[in-house]
Structures are given as C-alpha cells and as structure tokens.
Amino acid sequence: MLSRTADNLYWLSRYAERADFLARILDAALRLAALPSSYGGRTSNEWASALSSAGDPELFKTLYDSVNEHTVCNFLAFSHHNPSSIRSCIATARENARSIRTALTTEMWDTINGAWLELRSYEGRDLSRDEFTQFLDWVKRVSLTFDGSAYRTMLRNDAYWFTRAGTAIERADNTARILDVKYQILLPASERVGGSLDYFQWTTILREVSAFNAYHWVYRESIKPVLVADLLILNPEMPRSLASCYRMLVEHLDLIADAYGRRGESQRLASNMRAKLAGADIERIFASGLHEFIQGFISENNALGAAISEQYLV
C-alpha cells in the first residue's frame, strides 16, 4: 500500500473518532450546566473543563473574549478556525476519504460524505439547547455508523489494520483526556470528594463514554472514582479503556509488521505500553498521582503516533 493511502486511512479514522469525542465532551458539559447553581455548591466551570479537554485554549483566546456555553459550543462544534472542531473533523475526514475513494467500501464513503452534506444544514443557525443536543446525538451516530461500516464491510488487510490503528490511538488519547480533566479541573475546591456533585460528575463521565451500565456490571456498587479509573484505564474488556485500545493497537500493528516483513519503533512502543497497563494497579496509580500517570500516558501515546507516521506514513 502507498504510504499516502495508509496515511489517509489512518487519519480518516482518527478524525471520525475525534468528532465523536467532541460531541461527548459537549454533551457532558450541557448535562452539568443544566444542574441548578445551588446543586452541591456547584460553580460554573464545566465549559472551561470542556475547553481544556477538547480544545486549544490559546487559540480560543484569540477568537473569543470569554468562556461560556455559546463561545465554547461554537468553538468546539462549528468553528472554521479550530482545526479540531466537529465541523473541521468531518470536513477533513471527508477530504481524506475523497482522496482514497477506491480504498473505502461504499458504506464507509456514504457515511462520511453524507455527514458532510448534512452538516451544512446545521451551520449558520442559532440552535436552541435542545437542537444542539440533537446535533450532538447525530454526530455520535455518524461516528458509530462509520466505525460499524468499517468493521462489517472492510477486507481484513492492511487498509483495515491502518484504519483500526487510527481509531485505537485516537480513542486512547480521548479517554485519557476525559479522565484527567475530571480529576484535575471539574470538581470545585469547595466541594467534597465523594459528595453529590462529585458523584454526578463521575456518573456523567461514565455515560459520556458509554460505560455506565458496564461499571455496574463489573463492580456492582456505587460510583467510586478509583473504580471508574480502573474501568477506563486498566480493564481490557471495556472498549474505550486504555488497556483495550492498546490491545487493539498491538494486534493491528503486529499484523502490519507481519505483512510488510519488518518490525520497528511503533511495535516496540505499543507492546511496552500494553505490558505497562497489564502490570499496573489502580491503587498505586492513585497513590503516585492519577494526573501524572495520565500526562505520562498522553505523552507516550503521542510518541507512538509519531512513530507510526515515521515508520509507515511519510
């Protein structure tokens, strides 16, 4: 496969996954913003947390004067100036797909092209909160449909492996950022850890990553931060967990290595991280610092992305 084709497949899947992540972040912020201001001593920091986890705060400052629902929703959903807005993600995904149209199945192309065409109906409109929520639900459906069409219609060859690798590395980054922002930013200093607001926020995070039911099936007890982190970091059965993402990365990078007859830095980094997660203990992670662990993971995940690009996509 030409490196240009592999690059387009890899980034097509990353941008489709990123659009889904942005929709989930904004949906969570809307849920938290809907709480009464008196709820558990709540302070209005949900929009700052959404921006911190999913946006570029420095770029945001050059475009808007204040952080609020209107500005953050516009920046993360529709801004042409934000290369990682939902609008930009879908547009870039569609451009990547158009460049490799013959490498995609009909179902994958129809999903991305149809999303780009339908997106135009939302742009330039002053959406109510209910309409915006419907828009976010639509974005999540687009991502699910694209992911499902790739899984159900692609040949299991190098095109499929690059697509799955892109999905896995982007999903791992997104899950880590969601956890880090909740732990570092979202809970006000005046609110008690384990209080009603803390409980609601962790519940929202679980719903945001489609893990609320999974949490109760696995742990069968009330929401506890350490168990939420265990589910989303170390549980390989949870599709969005870091462990699950790296299991998928190792599998597909190994298949690529076997097909091309050589291994490299990307296989080494992916295998090392998978082993690190398999040998980790969530209590020790919390004791040494969840924020520090996640920041280290994000840095190593970025290094893997750079290694994949250098090894296969340049």
Side-chain angles (χ1 to χ4, degrees):
M1 177 183 290
L2 293 174
S3 61
R4 179 173 57 82
T5 301
D7 183 69
N8 282 325
L9 286 165
Y10 173 80
W11 282 104
L12 164 60
S13 60
R14 288 198 67 164
Y15 278 112
E17 186 70 21
R18 191 174 301 176
D20 176 78
F21 164 68
L22 290 163
R24 291 173 184 272
I25 283 288
L26 286 168
D27 188 52
L30 286 169
R31 289 175 184 270
L32 293 169
L35 287 174
S37 59
S38 59
Y39 187 91
R42 187 178 77 86
T43 57
S44 298
N45 64 348
E46 57 274 350
W47 298 110
S49 73
L51 181 62
S52 296
S53 62
D56 181 342
E58 295 305 314
L59 175 61
F60 179 89
K61 290 177 183 177
T62 67
L63 300 171
Y64 305 94
D65 295 327
S66 61
V67 177
N68 55 51
E69 178 176 346
H70 175 75
T71 57
V72 173
C73 286
N74 183 266
F75 180 70
L76 295 182
F78 299 116
S79 176
H80 292 240
H81 303 289
N82 177 10
S84 290
S85 68
I86 290 173
R87 185 261 174 206
S88 295
C89 285
I90 292 176
T92 306
R94 193 255 186 184
E95 187 60 29
N96 277 280
R98 191 179 63 82
S99 299
I100 50 167
R101 175 67 185 85
T102 56
L104 301 178
T105 66
T106 300
E107 291 81 1
M108 294 170 71
W109 167 251
D110 286 347
T111 298
I112 290 298
N113 190 53
W116 167 242
L117 295 174
E118 190 168 348
L119 179 66
R120 297 179 183 180
S121 68
Y122 289 100
E123 292 189 281
R125 293 171 52 192
D126 186 16
L127 301 178
S128 67
R129 182 175 283 187
D130 285 345
E131 289 173 327
F132 189 69
T133 298
Q134 292 171 10
F135 165 74
L136 298 179
D137 289 340
W138 169 78
V139 174
K140 287 183 278 186
R141 286 196 302 273
V142 167
S143 180
L144 285 169
T145 302
F146 178 78
D147 194 51
S149 64
Y151 181 78
R152 296 183 65 175
T153 65
M154 290 188 79
L155 288 171
R156 273 22 178 194
N157 56 16
D158 49 358
Y160 178 77
W161 302 330
F162 278 112
T163 298
R164 303 315 293 171
T167 297
I169 200 167
E170 184 69 29
R171 186 174 294 170
D173 180 83
N174 296 343
T175 297
R177 292 179 186 279
I178 288 172
L179 271 172
D180 196 36
V181 167
K182 168 63 187 86
Y183 195 72
Q184 286 293 109
I185 299 174
L186 205 53
L187 187 69
S190 60
E191 173 67 10
R192 179 174 63 89
V193 173
S196 58
L197 179 58
D198 191 41
Y199 176 87
F200 186 85
Q201 288 176 345
W202 282 110
T203 299
T204 300
I205 295 301
L206 285 172
R207 293 187 185 280
E208 187 178 314
V209 295
S210 302
F212 183 77
N213 289 335
Y215 177 91
H216 289 288
W217 289 334
V218 173
Y219 302 106
R220 300 185 182 279
E221 56 181 290
S222 61
I223 305 297
K224 295 179 180 178
V226 67
L227 296 182
V228 175
D230 182 65
L231 181 70
L232 297 183
I233 295 175
L234 302 181
N235 192 320
E237 296 178 356
M238 176 62 212
R240 292 184 180 274
S241 74
L242 307 188
S244 176
C245 290
Y246 266 79
R247 180 170 61 181
M248 184 160 63
L249 274 164
V250 168
E251 176 187 351
H252 291 101
L253 288 173
D254 282 350
L255 287 167
I256 292 170
D258 291 344
Y260 288 92
R262 58 187 174 89
R263 303 178 68 83
E265 184 71 358
S266 62
Q267 282 80 18
R268 185 186 70 81
L269 290 174
S271 295
N272 286 349
M273 177 55 72
R274 184 183 184 185
K276 179 179 178 179
L277 292 169
D281 176 80
I282 199 62
E283 297 288 352
R284 288 199 294 269
I285 289 174
F286 263 73
S288 61
L290 179 62
H291 173 67
E292 289 73 18
F293 176 87
I294 291 176
Q295 286 299 304
F297 173 84
I298 291 173
S299 178
E300 292 182 52
N301 195 58
N302 288 339
L304 174 59
I308 292 172
S309 294
E310 183 174 345
Q311 194 172 336
Y312 296 110
L313 309 180
V314 176

